Amino acid sequence: MAPFAITTTLGTSHTCHLPKPVNLKFPIRCSAAASSPSTVSIRSKASDFDLRTYWASLMVQINQKLDEAIPVQFPPQIYEAMRYSVLAKGVKRAPPVMCISACELFGGSRLAAFPTACALEMVHAASLIHDDLPCMDDSPSRRGKPSNHTIYGVDMAILAGDALFPLGFRHIVSQTPSDLVPEPNLLRVIAEMARSVGSTGMAAGQFLDLEGGPNAVEFIQVKKFGEMGECFAVCGGLLAGADDDEIERLRRYGRAVGVLYAVVDDIQEERLKAEGGGDGKNRGKSYTELNGVEKATEKAEELREMAKEELDGFEKYGERVFPLYSFVDYAFDRSFNVLDDAR
């Protein structure tokens, strides 16, 4: 465990010790590779990749498989609440898309990736159900629609979230073709998912989101968003049998993209607030409110470059790395609305 050196005062009688700042930053790497002709060439080619069509096509398949994975059973109230959040309109399916793209990078099959991709969406939906609860962020809406607890009540929302977590794990075990993914790889996938949502991952981030002060903002983003981004990318690599060095490169990529996504969300929210809109969900704990839009934009640019530098190490895989490059640019500029193409 990392040494603890920073102390932040919580809203209750607790005191939370944060890891040293160095542990909250991404490793600095030599950027020489980014300037090599071959790297410039692959980045240039990746910029022409049609992510919009690729993503929309995957969304149609993912939505169908999620619908099949959560049929209404007894007790129907729980399943209806589960389906309400997992199959909600306005969900972009970023977690499963990243997982499938990472799996395909190493030559893995979509058939091998779909069960884990769907499980990641279930886990993601469960986390959002719990995140919106009155005892957490107290959000009555999600993506412009009533939150799960607003429709089904707090008790049913808690049960729906509780049910989605284990359903995700069971779905991986029961639906992944054994001839495509060896059992040891599946065990690593399950362990990765459990780590990312547990007490040292997303749960730790949510705790500090509730109790921490402004000094905790960067740590919250790494834990709530960075580590989930790691999980999405790493699970895809594990399914395809990527080696340990490749997995660690995917981990750094996913973390950078996860935090990038959160920082850009903060920037967009701040601009909406300046125009008289926004939903105020961040409650003074956003990167932009702490550092301003200009510094947040600089941070986003830094994260985008970090993510691409990790992908430069996958140059030997050729065009199979293009979707992951394009995903970085989408996280930064949100240049299209994939929902319009997936209908």
Side-chain angles (χ1 to χ4, degrees):
M1 181 178 293
F4 293 96
I6 299 177
T7 302
T8 181
T9 303
L10 306 182
T12 66
S13 59
H14 299 87
T15 299
C16 178
H17 301 277
L18 300 181
K20 289 182 178 181
V22 66
N23 293 324
L24 303 184
K25 297 184 180 298
F26 294 85
I28 297 175
R29 286 181 169 72
C30 177
S31 60
S35 60
S36 69
S38 59
T39 299
V40 171
S41 174
I42 196 167
R43 288 195 187 189
S44 176
K45 291 177 181 177
S47 67
D48 294 328
F49 179 75
D50 187 1
L51 179 66
R52 185 171 186 163
T53 300
Y54 174 85
W55 194 330
S57 174
L58 277 177
M59 278 186 65
V60 172
Q61 298 176 71
I62 292 164
N63 287 340
Q64 178 182 348
K65 291 183 180 300
L66 284 169
D67 185 29
E68 295 169 353
I70 315 176
V72 176
Q73 303 177 50
F74 182 84
Q77 295 92 333
I78 295 179
Y79 284 94
E80 288 166 2
M82 292 161 67
R83 288 174 62 86
Y84 176 80
S85 292
V86 173
L87 302 176
K89 292 182 179 179
V91 181
K92 297 176 182 177
R93 309 300 185 204
V97 169
M98 185 184 288
C99 172
I100 292 168
S101 298
C103 182
E104 291 184 325
L105 169 63
F106 302 103
S109 165
R110 286 189 184 182
L111 292 178
F114 273 130
T116 295
C118 289
L120 288 169
E121 192 62 52
M122 294 176 196
V123 168
H124 185 230
S127 72
L128 297 180
I129 292 172
H130 287 172
D131 204 42
D132 289 338
L133 290 170
C135 61
M136 296 291 181
D137 285 358
D138 193 17
S139 284
S141 64
R142 168 72 58 179
R143 304 185 186 96
K145 303 291 183 181
S147 297
N148 195 291
H149 69 270
T150 302
I151 297 292
Y152 296 97
V154 171
D155 51 357
M156 199 58 59
I158 292 173
L159 291 175
D162 287 348
L164 281 169
F165 281 113
L167 178 59
F169 293 122
R170 188 180 74 181
H171 192 71
I172 293 173
V173 174
S174 64
Q175 299 300 314
T176 304
S178 59
D179 59 328
L180 296 179
V181 183
E183 185 176 298
N185 294 31
L186 277 190
L187 291 175
R188 291 183 68 184
V189 166
I190 292 170
E192 180 67 27
M193 288 179 61
R195 180 203 61 79
S196 67
V197 302
S199 58
T200 61
M202 184 177 63
Q206 182 61 26
F207 166 73
L208 284 170
D209 201 7
L210 290 169
E211 305 288 354
N215 291 337
V217 168
E218 190 171 352
F219 188 78
I220 291 168
Q221 289 188 327
V222 168
K223 289 296 179 181
K224 287 188 69 173
F225 307 108
E227 294 210 15
M228 290 305 294
E230 286 183 35
C231 180
F232 306 153
V234 166
C235 284
L238 290 172
L239 290 167
D243 66 37
D244 289 346
D245 288 341
E246 291 170 329
I247 291 299
E248 289 311 305
R249 189 174 287 278
L250 276 180
R251 187 178 301 284
R252 294 188 295 266
Y253 163 82
R255 174 177 287 210
V257 173
V259 178
L260 170 61
Y261 217 101
V263 171
V264 172
D265 279 350
D266 285 350
I267 293 170
Q268 292 184 332
E269 175 69 15
E270 197 66 22
R271 287 172 176 164
L272 282 174
K273 284 164 59 178
E275 298 170 359
D279 56 22
K281 283 186 178 181
N282 289 326
R283 300 184 304 167
K285 296 179 183 177
S286 75
Y287 196 93
T288 51
E289 289 186 333
L290 185 65
N291 300 291
V293 170
E294 183 177 349
K295 285 193 175 297
T297 302
E298 292 174 0
K299 179 69 173 178
E301 291 171 347
E302 176 187 347
L303 289 164
R304 177 168 65 169
E305 181 59 26
M306 286 179 176
K308 288 190 174 185
E309 285 187 6
E310 297 300 342
L311 293 180
D312 293 342
F314 296 129
E315 180 185 355
K316 66 181 180 181
Y317 292 110
E319 64 184 20
R320 295 206 301 263
V321 75
F322 289 179
L324 293 177
Y325 271 116
S326 298
F327 201 92
V328 179
D329 289 328
Y330 173 81
F332 181 83
D333 58 34
R334 312 296 168 90
S335 57
F336 60 87
N337 184 357
V338 69
L339 298 173
D340 292 339
D341 300 287
R343 288 170 183 157

